[in-house]
Amino acid sequence: MKKKPDWKILIGIGSIVVIVIIGLVFFLTNLLHSKKETVTTVTKSSLEKILEISDLSTLDFTYNSITDVKDQDKKNVKYHVAYEGTVTAGIDLQKVDISVNEDSHKIVITVPDATVQNTNVDMGGMDFIFEKKKYDTETVSQEAYKACLKDLENKANENTLLSMAKENAVNAITALVSPWVEQMNDEYTIEVK
């Protein structure tokens, strides 16, 4: 024969379960609420720590070019030099501006313009075409190297290279920061510009 359940024990167990559930709901609500209150501070300071490194190189570009080297009067071309050079461009992360608007749940990261961080000319790969044999001297390589570096810097600053480097920086920062912010608090939106 089945034993009848003791209602007093079942009511007592039910009460304990209800109290535990209410306690868990209260605990989780406080945990989520406290997380929402502190996420903006954590987000801003943590974002600044993520972006603490000095420079972010976002573009390496190889040039194959030719430049002219002229005499001291800058009137006559002494020789032409073909060279291969690389340009590294990027941004200074110390100049990134981060603002957090708690009311609109929006994080705005303003990226500075990109600059040329490094130029390099392959000195061993330079080829010369001399206008006159007298310009083929022992010091021609040093003079040509300086002219190639100057030409490379001018081309790097004139080209769309810097705008591409900034675009790459915006994409890199977005890719770095977005998952972290979404994990911390998915109510926030991010704008990187």
Side-chain angles (χ1 to χ4, degrees):
M1 212 172 186
K2 276 188 171 180
K3 190 175 176 187
K4 283 186 170 182
D6 189 359
W7 291 104
K8 289 181 184 178
I9 294 175
L10 289 176
I11 291 173
I13 292 173
S15 299
I16 291 172
V17 169
V18 169
I19 290 171
V20 168
I21 290 172
I22 290 172
L24 280 173
V25 168
F26 181 74
F27 173 75
L28 291 173
T29 303
N30 282 339
L31 181 67
L32 291 173
H33 182 68
S34 67
K35 185 178 177 183
K36 287 180 183 176
E37 287 178 358
T38 60
V39 75
T40 55
T41 304
V42 171
T43 300
K44 183 170 173 61
S45 65
S46 297
L47 287 173
E48 288 171 347
K49 285 188 186 242
I50 289 171
L51 301 176
E52 249 178 18
I53 58 174
S54 177
D55 290 327
L56 175 64
S57 297
T58 58
L59 185 69
D60 283 325
F61 193 81
T62 302
Y63 279 97
N64 288 306
S65 189
I66 298 174
T67 189
D68 297 330
V69 178
K70 297 183 178 183
D71 60 14
Q72 288 180 340
D73 298 334
K74 306 281 185 208
K75 292 181 182 178
N76 300 314
V77 174
K78 292 172 31 175
Y79 55 89
H80 311 278
V81 59
Y83 68 93
E84 182 178 295
T86 56
V87 175
T88 302
I91 62 164
D92 180 354
L93 286 173
Q94 301 296 323
K95 295 180 180 178
V96 170
D97 181 50
I98 302 170
S99 66
V100 179
N101 187 323
E102 294 176 26
D103 297 330
S104 66
H105 291 109
K106 187 171 187 175
I107 299 169
V108 178
I109 301 174
T110 306
V111 178
D113 288 335
T115 59
V116 174
Q117 295 173 330
N118 188 30
T119 55
N120 186 33
V121 171
D122 178 12
M123 195 169 184
M126 294 186 301
D127 288 322
F128 303 92
I129 300 173
F130 293 96
E131 291 293 319
K132 295 181 181 174
K133 278 245 190 231
K134 71 178 186 175
Y135 296 124
D136 187 3
T137 64
E138 292 177 10
T139 60
V140 72
S141 292
Q142 288 298 322
E143 180 183 48
Y145 179 75
K146 290 176 186 175
C148 291
L149 270 178
K150 185 177 179 182
D151 183 62
L152 184 60
E153 289 171 4
N154 290 338
K155 287 181 178 171
N157 286 313
E158 291 173 0
N159 204 324
T160 58
L161 180 122
L162 295 178
S163 62
M164 290 188 314
K166 180 172 180 175
E167 183 179 328
N168 288 349
V170 167
N171 293 336
I173 290 171
T174 302
L176 179 69
V177 172
S178 292
W180 185 83
V181 171
E182 287 173 12
Q183 183 180 3
M184 292 300 291
N185 189 335
D186 62 358
E187 291 179 10
Y188 278 81
T189 59
I190 302 170
E191 179 185 358
V192 182
K193 57 182 186 172

